[in-house]
Amino acid sequence: MSSSATTSSQPRRILSGVQPSGKLHLGNFFGAVRQHVALAQEGAECLYFIADYHAMTTVHDAAALKQNVFDVALDYYALGLDPDRAIFFRQSDVPQVCELSWILSTLAPMGLLERAVSYKEKLDRGLESSVGLFTYPILMAADILAYRSNLVPVGRDQVQHLEICRDLAVKFNLRYGDVFPLPEYRLTKESKVPGTDGQKMSKSYGNTIDIFAEGKPLKKAVMGIVTDSLPLEAAKDPSTCNVFALYSLFASQEEQDALATLYRAGGMGYGAAKSELLAKIDAYFAPARERRRELAANPAQVEAWLAQGAERARAIAGETMRLVRSAVGLRSMPS
Ligand code: ADP
Ligand code: TRP
C-alpha cells in the first residue's frame, strides 16, 4: 500500500522482524504473518527473524524468552513458511547486528531518539526504562541495514522506526560513502482486525483470539465477543457487528452475503453467528494446528531449520560488515 519516497528497479530484498513476546493472534495473522508467508511463496528474497534481542527489553525471564522464541518459530512454520524459500532465523544468531548497532549509534543524534514516540509510550504503559529500550530503534535499524534490505513490511506503529532507520542510512552514506540502500517500508494491507471488545485486536488490550487456540479456550473467546443486545427476532446490521467482521476474514463473498441476509432478516441471534465463526476458525486453522503439533514433537527439526536460516543470514550480514568496517576505517574482521 503506502511506502516511503524512493523507488528502485533493483531486485528487492524483503525483511521483517517479529517480537517473541506472546501468543500470535488473528490480528497478527491477517495483518502480518499471512503476508510474510505469501511473499516468500511468490519467490521474493525474504528474510524474517525472531527479534529476541529486542524482546529482552520486555521479557526478563530466560525460560520464557526461550519458549516464546520456539513458539514463534513453530507458529510460522505451521502457518506455511517454507524454510527453503524464506531465510527465517533468530536475531541473536547473527550477533553482527549488535556491532552494526554500535556503529550506527555513533551517528545517531540524541534528539532523533528523544523524539521517538514508542519509547515514551512504553514508559507510559509502565515498562521499566532502560538504555536498551531507548536505543531500540537503533538496533532495529541495524537489523534492516545489516542485510541491506530494500523493503520492510511493518505495522503502522513501526513507521517512525523506519524513518529513523532511513535517517541513519543517509547519515552513514554521507559520512562514509554509499553502503546502504535506502529501505522502503510497506504498511501491511489488512485494516484493523477487531478484537473481542471491538477495539483493535492486541495483546496489550487482552481482547485477542489466538491463532492456535482451540477447544474450550477458543470457544470461550469467540462466545465472549461483544455485540449489541438486540433480541433474537430483531433485524441486525452486519456492518457494525464484530462477529460479522471476524467472520468475513474467513468466509467467501457468497458466505458473507448469506450471513448478512440472515442478519437483516431478523430471527437469528448473535450466538448462532458466533457458532458459524467458530466453525470457520476451526476449519481454517485445522491443517496448521496439525502441522504445529507434529513440529512441536520434533524440536530438532525446528532447530535445524533455524540454524539453516541463521547460516544464510550470517553470510549476508558478514558481507555487509566487511563493507562497513572498511568504510569506517576499522580493520576487517579477523577470521
Ligand atoms: P500487538 O498489538 O498484539 O502487540 P504487534 O504490535 O506485535 O501486536 O503486531 C505484530 C504485527 O501484527 C504488526 O505487523 C501489526 O501491524 C500486526 N497486527 C497486530 N494487531 C493487528 C490487528 N488487530 N489488525 C491488523 N494487524 C495487526
Ligand atoms: N520492532 C518490531 C515490532 O515490534 C520488530 C522488529 C525488530 C522489526 N527489528 C525489526 C520489524 C526490523 C521490522 C524490521 O513489531
Side-chain angles (χ1 to χ4, degrees):
M1 196 177 93
S2 152
S3 79
S4 52
T6 55
T7 51
S8 115
S9 53
Q10 295 296 311
R12 322 221 95 199
R13 181 175 282 159
I14 299 173
L15 171 129
S16 200
V18 203
Q19 281 224 51
S21 48
K23 291 200 162 59
L24 295 178
H25 53 71
L26 296 184
N28 299 139
F29 179 72
F30 289 104
V33 183
R34 191 172 62 161
Q35 279 90 329
H36 291 167
V37 172
L39 283 166
Q41 222 54 40
E42 287 158 16
E45 185 186 10
C46 295
L47 290 99
Y48 302 126
F49 62 91
I50 307 173
D52 50 2
Y53 281 143
H54 275 116
M56 288 179 64
T57 58
T58 51
V59 181
H60 299 150
D61 179 87
L65 184 64
K66 239 185 192 165
Q67 185 62 47
N68 287 355
V69 168
F70 186 65
D71 281 343
V72 172
L74 283 182
D75 290 350
Y76 264 76
Y77 293 134
L79 291 167
L81 191 84
D82 180 342
D84 292 324
R85 285 184 184 255
I87 303 181
F88 184 66
F89 59 102
R90 264 182 296 247
Q91 183 184 30
S92 62
D93 280 346
V94 190
Q96 288 96 329
V97 294
C98 288
E99 183 189 10
L100 182 56
S101 184
W102 169 256
I103 291 171
L104 295 175
S105 78
T106 66
L107 289 147
M110 284 299 285
L112 186 66
L113 294 185
E114 280 163 356
R115 284 192 294 277
V117 291
S118 78
Y119 175 69
K120 289 175 222 156
E121 277 172 11
K122 285 172 182 170
L123 294 194
D124 288 345
R125 275 200 274 128
L127 291 186
E128 212 177 296
S129 124
S130 69
V131 174
L133 204 59
F134 185 68
T135 58
Y136 182 113
I138 300 188
L139 180 58
M140 184 160 158
D143 290 328
I144 296 166
L145 300 178
Y147 308 101
R148 281 166 290 153
S149 316
N150 306 105
L151 189 64
V152 187
V154 283
R156 195 172 286 283
D157 60 326
Q158 298 297 315
V159 168
Q160 194 183 30
H161 290 156
L162 261 295
E163 296 296 355
I164 292 173
C165 173
R166 287 166 57 85
D167 255 29
L168 293 174
V170 168
K171 280 192 165 44
F172 185 100
N173 289 348
L174 278 175
R175 189 179 287 178
Y176 297 114
D178 274 351
V179 170
F180 298 118
L182 211 52
E184 296 175 26
Y185 60 85
R186 185 166 76 182
L187 290 180
T188 37
K189 264 196 254 98
E190 196 61 50
S191 50
K192 284 178 193 164
V193 174
T196 52
D197 60 356
Q199 290 190 80
K200 175 190 180 244
M201 187 177 288
S202 169
K203 289 189 282 289
S204 359
Y205 302 147
N207 63 357
T208 57
I209 298 175
D210 295 339
I211 301 176
F212 288 102
E214 54 185 316
K216 266 197 191 150
L218 176 62
K219 186 166 182 191
K220 189 163 173 242
V222 171
M223 293 303 161
I225 297 172
V226 175
T227 59
D228 58 37
S229 47
L230 287 174
L232 186 81
E233 56 285 2
K236 300 179 178 69
D237 181 1
S239 71
T240 57
C241 176
N242 297 326
V243 182
F244 190 85
L246 288 167
Y247 180 82
S248 303
L249 295 168
F250 297 93
S252 67
Q253 191 57 52
E254 292 74 43
E255 290 167 325
Q256 293 176 44
D257 293 345
L259 188 64
T261 306
L262 289 175
Y263 263 69
R264 293 195 188 97
M268 193 197 65
Y270 290 118
K274 288 175 182 177
S275 297
E276 294 286 326
L277 170 61
L278 187 58
K280 277 282 172 215
I281 297 177
D282 273 332
Y284 191 90
F285 288 118
R289 287 176 189 162
E290 196 45 44
R291 269 200 300 277
R292 196 180 192 283
R293 262 191 286 276
E294 285 164 16
L295 281 174
N298 191 357
Q301 175 65 79
V302 173
E303 197 46 56
W305 281 338
L306 286 174
Q308 163 192 317
E311 196 175 321
R312 293 163 74 191
R314 270 196 303 269
I316 301 173
E319 179 55 31
T320 304
M321 288 317 291
R322 267 189 290 283
L323 298 174
V324 167
R325 280 182 154 250
S326 150
V328 304
L330 294 174
R331 192 162 82 82
S332 53
M333 190 74 80
S335 47

